[in-house]
Amino acid sequence: HLYSALACGMPPPPRAPKDFPDMLRLVWWNLDRSLDAGLVRACALAGAVSAAKAGATFIVDHHSSPRAARGSLAVIAEALDEVGLGHLLCLELSDRDGPAARDAGLRETGRHLAKRQGLVGLHASFTVSDSLLRRAVALARDHGTGLHVHVAEAPEDEEHCLRRHGRRVLERFSAAGALDCPKTLLAHGLHLDAAERRLLRESPAWLVQNPESNRHNGVGELDAAGLGERVLLGTDGMHGDMLASVRAAYHAGCAAGGMAPLDAYRRLRRAHDYLSSNGFAGDGPNNLVVLDYRPPTPFGPDNWAAHVVYGLGAAHVESVVSSGRLIVEERRLKTVDEDKVVAAARKEALRLWRRL
């Protein structure tokens, strides 16, 4: 969600959201409808600079700008190329803004996939009609890729699906063929029942845990027991710092009954497994993060994972090589003028906030 990069400190909604759907309506859908091409570029550059300085070399992004869909993925791709990050992009498809916005999103997705690697993005089930779901699955198959979709993030997603479609979210998606591809990413999955968890386990799809976002929205914690090995970590737009996400996943696991530091690290590592096993470019052996980490306690093969969750952070990222290109050196971007990026983002943020 690079599109939320200018949200920090933005004006509050007219009233406090009473639940998760209310937060979407009052905050995030208001924000994404306010974006234009200039704002999309400012978000992408600001988010990419922040992520690179936190040690990221690759971004998987789920974009939304329903009133500025045309060309949006190209704008984001060009910004990430400029910073020097690999990427796997999609545009959130939904029926919530009407058929014109839906069709514009489908066209933009098709244009992007004809030129670059990417996924077919969908918003949650409760804003996706059967017709759009079928078209999204067909589009993904036509381009040999998968879906990137939010599932069971909040109870309301499951409740709506049962009322409207007579089945639960993953049952609906499975029947449509959305789980058939090993490139498919399912975000959240907090409120899956036993049958859905079995469907996920038996499919080749991957699940993305977003612990900080889940806590922020008060929607629960992921119970990953029995889900298998295809669980990886994301941020859901909260930030670009994956080391922070490892720590958050570890704390969530401890609160749920216990987790080893190495298991938290493995969820970070599985992002690389997902990309490499599916043949996506930009996450090969020519990536390197140099950490300036001088711990006051011993560090070695038996305890390094504990240092990852208790000690390491973005402040220790000294240099970053992405696809053989030095993009961060001595904690400064080499590819773009980060001072100019930040200054431009502040101006664009004010323009966005006036719209809000």
Side-chain angles (χ1 to χ4, degrees):
H1 292 331
L2 287 169
Y3 76 87
S4 66
L6 304 183
C8 182
M10 68 183 179
R15 59 175 174 81
K18 63 180 184 294
D19 52 26
F20 182 64
D22 214 28
M23 180 175 289
L24 292 176
R25 286 188 292 268
L26 292 175
V27 179
W28 300 115
W29 294 351
N30 190 23
L31 185 144
D32 67 18
R33 289 175 183 134
S34 300
L35 298 175
D36 57 27
L39 289 165
V40 170
R41 175 171 168 78
C43 287
L45 282 172
V49 165
S50 177
K53 293 187 74 173
T57 59
F58 196 102
I59 285 182
V60 181
D61 190 49
H62 193 270
H63 176 62
S64 181
S65 57
R67 293 179 180 170
R70 183 175 177 83
S72 60
L73 294 182
V75 167
I76 296 169
E78 289 164 6
L80 297 186
D81 289 344
E82 194 174 333
V83 174
L85 298 180
H87 50 80
L88 188 67
L89 309 181
C90 72
L91 178 65
E92 177 185 286
L93 302 174
S94 173
D95 287 287
R96 72 173 186 264
D97 291 293
R102 175 201 64 206
D103 292 345
L106 284 161
R107 289 191 296 270
E108 176 64 11
T109 300
R111 279 192 296 267
H112 181 74
L113 293 177
K115 298 176 181 179
R116 293 178 179 259
Q117 65 184 17
L119 299 171
V120 176
L122 281 174
H123 191 255
S125 172
F126 64 90
T127 73
V128 174
S129 66
D130 285 340
S131 173
L132 177 56
L133 179 57
R134 287 193 297 269
R135 293 170 74 180
V137 171
L139 185 61
R141 286 175 175 164
D142 288 346
H143 289 278
T145 193
L147 300 179
H148 183 168
V149 55
H150 290 218
V151 297
E153 181 176 3
E156 291 86 353
D157 192 22
E158 294 282 17
E159 292 162 4
H160 178 276
C161 201
L162 284 166
R163 286 195 311 270
R164 184 68 179 270
H165 305 285
R167 59 180 74 182
R168 294 179 67 87
V169 171
L170 272 201
E171 292 170 336
R172 181 188 179 210
F173 284 175
S174 178
L179 307 187
D180 294 347
C181 181
K183 295 181 179 180
T184 287
L185 290 175
L186 308 172
H188 300 293
L190 305 185
H191 300 280
L192 302 175
D193 71 0
E196 290 175 293
R197 293 165 76 86
R198 184 174 62 254
L199 280 173
L200 176 59
R201 252 191 339 265
E202 294 173 354
S203 82
W206 298 68
L207 183 71
V208 186
Q209 179 185 10
N210 300 280
E212 292 147 305
S213 170
N214 298 152
R215 290 173 184 171
H216 172 70
N217 290 321
V219 290
E221 298 275 12
L222 176 69
D223 177 7
L227 289 179
E229 296 297 308
R230 293 187 312 279
V231 179
L232 51 88
L233 284 179
T235 69
D236 199 31
M238 293 289 289
H239 53 69
D241 183 353
M242 291 307 300
L243 287 170
S245 287
V246 173
R247 186 173 296 112
Y250 173 68
H251 289 158
C254 290
M259 187 180 206
L262 185 58
D263 290 333
Y265 171 79
R266 283 172 175 153
R267 290 188 189 168
L268 172 66
R269 181 66 211 174
R270 286 188 193 121
H272 302 285
D273 298 338
Y274 164 77
L275 293 168
S276 62
S277 67
N278 284 302
F280 291 121
D283 189 53
N286 292 323
N287 294 327
L288 176 69
V289 180
V290 179
L291 299 165
D292 180 10
Y293 180 56
R294 306 175 191 186
T297 58
F299 179 104
D302 296 330
N303 72 347
W304 65 268
H307 280 271
V308 171
V309 299
Y310 287 114
L312 279 173
H316 299 110
V317 175
E318 197 274 342
S319 296
V320 178
V321 176
S322 178
S323 295
R325 180 185 183 191
L326 182 64
I327 65 171
V328 176
E329 184 178 27
E330 296 181 352
R331 298 179 171 84
R332 296 289 295 177
L333 263 293
K334 298 283 289 182
T335 50
V336 297
D337 186 328
E338 62 182 275
D339 294 331
K340 288 184 178 179
V341 168
V342 170
R346 285 176 181 159
K347 290 182 179 179
E348 289 291 81
L350 289 174
R351 187 165 69 87
L352 172 61
W353 294 1
R354 284 193 293 270
R355 294 182 175 191
L356 298 180

